Amino acid sequence: MGLRHFPKLLLPRPGVVCAAALIFASQATEGQVPSGQTQERAQLLGSQANPVHGQNVTPSGENQGYAVASPNEEDIGKQQILKQIEEYKPFTVSVYSPFFYTTNVALVSSGEEDDVLVAPGVSLLYQPRITKTLFAQVGVVQQFFLYDRFTELNFASFDAIAGLVYYLPQFHNLSLRAYYDYNRLTDIDHYDEFFVNNSIILNGELPFRMRRAQQIFLGVALNLSFYANPDPPQRNDYSFYVGYGLALSRSFSIDASARLAVRDYYVGDRTDVSEILSLSANYRIRDWLTLSALSSFAWNQSNHSVFDYNVANIGGGVALSLKF
């Protein structure tokens, strides 16, 4: 469990959506901020609760019925785990509700305002096994972002994904993912669409188990947008991340991750560099119920200083997840 497993619980997995507009003021309309800033908020807040874009979605080697590869495997032959293996369950339904205090609601470079928001969501993920280590992945996520004071910033985000996950135990448990992501942002009142993005997401992650209860993981992710409407917020993301997980008991875990992302925008000769630090503490009450304390901190630097911002998001969440 942990930050990467909420609510699978918790991922992170790469961001939810692409981001940003040319100039904040140039696109602002009464009662609504530009879609670029809305996407940034969806990425920073939604990624901590979005199972579709989370990491480690592939079942472990033990769950698949074979031992994890080791350096001396050729000497002792193929290893088998002599214990009962639970039947693989390809469907996961999750209902979750993270909440945050945020220091910069609109992600602006000056005149920051703080607020409290809740981001309830529901997801359905189907991962049928094609071979022992190759899985298809199809899923949908609907999430809502609801602010306390700045209700004009409320919006909804819908994602649909389809792709493949390939697990390579012989290469230090490397996992590879490739999938198509359709993202649609709407307002809350009438569900009027104000941004749509289509992208291909590629991800590779390499775990290093230090001890039985500790693990470090390294990963790279590419989020390549090939069609967006309107055009200005469209971008490609290139990111590298590192994380650490510690299980203090069977029920309690602590996770931390740091991500460096370069964002290349299609319009406006704009390039951003973002650093994001995420921390979580997670208590599993039941196999299907987890409580979490969540926090994230982000620093964005752009070649157009109007897009520079800092933000801290601190809160918690509850997640229910059923597999069948």
Side-chain angles (χ1 to χ4, degrees):
M1 308 295 289
L3 179 73
R4 301 185 305 149
H5 300 78
F6 183 96
K8 182 191 179 235
L9 301 155
L10 243 206
L11 246 159
R13 249 59 350 182
V16 176
V17 284
C18 296
L22 283 174
I23 298 177
F24 180 88
S26 67
Q27 291 191 10
T29 59
E30 183 178 357
Q32 184 178 344
V33 298
S35 59
Q37 272 67 23
T38 303
Q39 293 170 77
E40 288 287 351
R41 290 183 286 127
Q43 181 185 41
L44 291 173
L45 299 170
S47 61
Q48 285 193 293
N50 189 334
V52 167
H53 294 282
Q55 309 302 323
N56 201 24
V57 294
T58 305
S60 68
E62 293 184 0
N63 287 338
Q64 295 178 57
Y66 55 84
V68 174
S70 63
N72 61 349
E73 187 176 68
E74 294 182 358
D75 298 330
I76 64 176
K78 187 174 181 179
Q79 304 174 61
Q80 297 290 337
I81 294 178
L82 300 179
K83 67 177 182 179
Q84 184 176 2
I85 303 301
E86 292 185 4
E87 181 183 359
Y88 176 63
K89 299 176 181 179
F91 287 96
T92 303
V93 177
S94 299
V95 179
Y96 48 94
S97 185
F99 55 89
F100 299 95
Y101 164 78
T102 181
T103 61
N104 188 352
V105 294
L107 303 182
V108 294
S109 58
S110 61
E112 298 92 338
E113 295 281 358
D114 63 340
D115 203 351
V116 174
L117 76 149
V118 62
V122 60
S123 68
L124 173 61
L125 183 64
Y126 176 51
Q127 260 191 187
R129 181 160 48 193
I130 300 174
T131 69
K132 202 165 189 178
T133 59
L134 178 64
F135 298 78
Q137 183 174 332
V138 180
V140 292
V141 176
Q142 179 67 64
Q143 191 169 9
F144 303 90
F145 298 83
L146 308 173
Y147 288 79
D148 179 33
R149 293 191 298 132
F150 294 90
T151 56
E152 66 273 15
L153 300 181
N154 294 348
F155 69 100
S157 176
F158 172 80
D159 277 271
I161 69 103
L164 297 172
V165 182
Y166 190 37
Y167 182 75
L168 294 89
Q170 67 272 31
F171 294 108
H172 211 282
N173 300 322
L174 173 68
S175 60
L176 301 174
R177 303 174 182 87
Y179 56 92
Y180 161 75
D181 177 30
Y182 168 83
N183 177 250
R184 179 175 183 262
L185 301 182
T186 63
D187 64 35
I188 293 293
D189 295 332
H190 306 290
Y191 292 94
D192 291 331
E193 175 186 299
F194 61 84
F195 184 74
V196 170
N197 185 63
N198 295 267
S199 60
I200 298 296
I201 297 177
L202 306 175
N203 172 234
E205 185 175 301
L206 191 64
F208 298 90
R209 178 161 297 198
M210 300 170 61
R211 296 180 180 178
R212 184 174 181 84
Q214 298 183 66
Q215 181 173 270
I216 293 176
F217 58 93
L218 304 175
V220 293
L222 305 179
N223 190 325
L224 308 175
S225 175
F226 61 89
Y227 175 77
N229 184 33
D231 294 333
Q234 187 178 11
R235 76 183 188 201
N236 292 329
D237 285 14
Y238 313 94
S239 62
F240 167 80
Y241 59 92
V242 58
Y244 171 76
L246 172 63
L248 297 176
S249 71
R250 294 181 64 88
S251 299
F252 185 69
S253 63
I254 296 175
D255 292 85
S257 66
R259 179 182 297 270
L260 177 66
V262 177
R263 296 164 176 166
D264 183 23
Y265 290 83
Y266 280 67
V267 179
D269 187 31
R270 176 185 169 187
T271 301
D272 288 11
V273 177
S274 294
E275 302 93 32
I276 303 171
L277 174 65
S278 299
L279 305 169
S280 75
N282 310 278
Y283 182 70
R284 185 174 59 183
I285 300 175
R286 295 286 188 271
D287 288 342
W288 48 270
L289 177 62
T290 298
L291 299 179
S292 298
L294 307 170
S295 63
S296 64
F297 308 87
W299 301 265
N300 193 72
Q301 299 84 40
S302 174
N303 59 343
H304 298 279
S305 60
V306 68
F307 296 111
D308 294 348
Y309 67 82
N310 299 323
V311 64
N313 304 303
I314 301 173
V318 58
L320 296 88
S321 183
L322 299 176
K323 299 182 72 67
F324 57 95

